[in-house]
Amino acid sequence: MNEKEFHLKDVVEMKKPHPCGSNAWKIIRMGADIRIKCEGCGHSVMIPRNEFAKKMKKVLVKAETED
């Protein structure tokens, strides 16, 4: 199956928008669970990695890599 690729500090689009109207979320913590923060209102939620991979649509903004 096609694995979605995402990294810390990427801004991603989820399938359903947040109640505030924004559909952009920033990944602020990664592990077994992933914490994402709404770019519209600043609310953050933590969801399991496999559930996040199902609900994520695409990466909107890639994080800058530190070389």
Side-chain angles (χ1 to χ4, degrees), residues 21-53:
S22 176
N23 208 12
W25 296 81
K26 186 174 197 170
I27 300 172
I28 57 174
R29 181 184 178 278
M30 289 181 69
D33 295 324
I34 294 181
R35 183 177 292 275
I36 54 177
K37 183 176 180 181
C38 179
E39 292 286 281
C41 66
H43 181 81
S44 69
V45 293
M46 186 176 270
I47 56 177
R49 182 182 283 266
N50 59 353
E51 189 178 325
F52 174 79

